Amino acid sequence: MLAIILMLQSLPQFMGDVFQIFAKTEWNLSTKEFSSFVAMFGFCNICANIAGSLLVRKLGLRQFTAIATISAILGPIGAIFFSFRGLVVGSIVGFIGSAQSLGVIGALVSEGTKAGVAQGELAGERSSFIALFKVIGPILYSFIYVQGKKQFGFTSLPFLFNALLAIGAFIISQIYIS
C-alpha cells in the first residue's frame, strides 16, 4: 500500500513539459514569469523538505502524511479556480505538500528492511519507478489536457486530476498507515 501511496503522490511531479506548455498557452506567462515560478517552487520544495523532516518525527507518519497530502491539493485547486495566481498562492500556502512522500519513502525503506530486502534493491526499484513515470507522466498529462479541452472545454483537467490523486493518497494513507 505504501508503494501505491507513493505512486499517487509522485505522478504530479512528472507533469513538467505539459505544465510549461499550459503556462504559455493558457496563462500567457512570459519566460521571466515562468522562470520566477519555477524558482519559487524550488525554494518551496527546499523549505518543505526541511520542515517535513522535523514534522514527520513530531507528528508521526500518519498525521504528517495527512497534512502534507491535504496541502498538496491547495495548488491544483488554486489553479482550477483562480488561474496562475491561485496556483502560486496555493503552492505557497500548501508548501508542505511538496514533501508529502518524505514519510512514505521512509516507511517503505523501513518495511523493506524488515522484510529483508536489500537497500540497493529498494533504491533500484524506486529508480525504475521514477524512470517509468518520466515517460508515462508527460504522455498521460498531455492526453488529459487535450481531451479535457476537446471534450469538456475545461483546460484545467490536469490540475483536477492532481487534486484527485492527492485525495486518493490521503484516503489510502489514512486507512493503511498506522
Side-chain angles (χ1 to χ4, degrees):
M1 291 317 288
L2 290 170
I4 291 171
I5 295 168
L6 183 59
M7 179 182 70
L8 295 173
Q9 292 173 333
S10 299
L11 189 57
Q13 297 170 17
F14 300 98
M15 183 180 173
D17 295 340
V18 175
F19 177 74
Q20 186 174 358
I21 293 166
F22 186 93
K24 182 67 179 159
T25 60
E26 300 300 326
W27 294 333
N28 297 317
L29 294 184
S30 69
T31 303
K32 182 180 178 186
E33 291 169 322
F34 185 77
S35 297
S36 295
F37 174 75
V38 170
M40 185 255 345
F41 193 73
F43 180 73
C44 283
N45 285 345
I46 292 168
C47 293
N49 284 312
I50 292 168
S53 65
L54 300 171
L55 287 172
V56 77
R57 284 186 231 137
K58 187 171 187 159
L59 300 174
L61 179 61
R62 186 171 195 232
Q63 275 189 304
F64 172 75
T65 302
I67 291 167
T69 305
I70 295 299
S71 295
I73 296 172
L74 298 178
I77 295 297
I80 292 167
F81 291 108
F82 304 107
S83 191
F84 179 67
R85 292 186 196 281
L87 175 65
V88 171
V89 171
S91 296
I92 291 170
V93 172
F95 80 99
I96 202 72
S98 297
Q100 65 180 321
S101 63
L102 190 67
V104 174
I105 290 171
L108 195 57
V109 169
S110 176
E111 290 299 319
T113 301
K114 287 179 191 173
V117 179
Q119 292 301 311
E121 186 178 341
L122 283 173
E125 292 294 330
R126 225 171 69 228
S127 293
S128 296
F129 171 71
I130 289 169
L132 180 63
F133 270 20
K134 284 183 180 180
V135 173
I136 292 174
I139 294 168
L140 177 63
Y141 279 100
S142 63
F143 175 79
I144 291 170
Y145 171 66
V146 168
Q147 291 304 311
K149 190 173 185 175
K150 183 178 175 184
Q151 300 292 331
F152 308 109
F154 185 59
T155 59
S156 295
L157 195 58
F159 295 106
L160 179 60
F161 180 68
N162 285 347
L164 292 173
L165 289 173
I167 291 168
F170 173 79
I171 291 169
I172 294 170
S173 71
Q174 294 307 292
I175 293 171
Y176 291 101
I177 293 178
S178 52

